[in-house]
Amino acid sequence: MDTWKQMMDWKRMAEEYFGDQFFTPNQNQRSTNNQNNESPLCNIYDTPQEICCVLALPGLNRTEDVEVMVDPFKLTVQGKLSLTLDSYHLNSEEFQLGAFNREIHLPEKVLQEPVQAFYRKGLLFIRLLKDTRPGANQRKVNLNWVQE
């Protein structure tokens, strides 16, 4: 059997099973519910004391258009981005506009307060303090005695 034909048959079967975006997951990917979309893009930086998440949010018009929520190991950012050019129509879209909801799993446990967030030059900066208290990542488990 022809090797090229075998490879193309395998590709077809994989796409039938995994979906059309199996081999090119980032090309023309736009999800209306954003469940599989990793937008907005995020960089995570850290020091021994804090974590700084930087999200690309072009088109943010007001602070009310974005909401930031912090859990000890997760950051959630949701909101709406918009950009209108009155006399132009959209020809190609590479950065997402509209509603978004992004969950970012943090590399270490953080304190939920204080948190600093500011927006500058299309980027949202969120500074979180690491929870460095002794035993902060430990939880005592209650042991139940079971009689036989």
Side-chain angles (χ1 to χ4, degrees):
M1 185 180 243
D2 182 25
T3 306
W4 182 255
K5 183 180 180 323
Q6 285 178 327
M7 186 173 68
M8 294 308 290
D9 287 343
W10 181 85
K11 180 181 182 289
R12 182 186 46 76
M13 288 187 302
E15 286 177 342
E16 286 175 7
Y17 185 77
F18 293 110
D20 292 339
Q21 299 297 322
F22 179 70
F23 290 101
T24 54
N26 293 324
Q27 291 182 358
N28 301 323
Q29 181 181 21
R30 173 134 187 188
S31 173
T32 56
N33 60 11
N34 292 330
Q35 289 177 348
N36 297 322
N37 201 344
E38 292 296 320
S39 282
L41 299 177
C42 177
N43 287 356
I44 300 175
Y45 304 92
D46 74 320
T47 69
Q49 295 81 25
E50 71 179 62
I51 294 174
C52 183
C53 297
V54 182
L55 288 91
L57 293 176
L60 185 64
N61 294 320
R62 308 171 304 168
T63 57
E64 294 82 22
D65 289 343
V66 67
E67 185 175 67
V68 177
M69 292 158 288
V70 178
D71 289 333
F73 286 100
K74 181 177 70 173
L75 178 68
T76 303
V77 181
Q78 61 187 24
K80 182 178 180 181
L81 298 173
S82 61
L83 175 66
T84 55
L85 299 173
D86 293 331
S87 60
Y88 293 89
H89 71 278
L90 181 63
N91 186 306
S92 172
E93 183 175 60
E94 291 191 2
F95 61 87
Q96 177 183 325
L97 295 175
F100 65 88
N101 185 356
R102 176 75 193 268
E103 287 187 357
I104 300 148
H105 296 280
L106 301 171
E108 294 184 49
K109 187 174 183 181
V110 297
L111 298 172
Q112 292 177 282
E113 290 183 359
V115 175
Q116 294 179 339
F118 60 93
Y119 184 76
R120 189 172 122 218
K121 295 184 179 181
L123 299 172
L124 176 63
F125 295 81
I126 304 168
R127 294 177 61 191
L128 308 153
L129 290 178
K130 291 181 180 179
D131 193 347
T132 57
R133 297 174 294 178
N137 291 329
Q138 297 177 349
R139 183 177 145 258
K140 184 177 180 179
V141 176
N142 292 327
L143 178 62
N144 294 313
W145 189 266
V146 179
Q147 297 289 332
E148 288 185 35

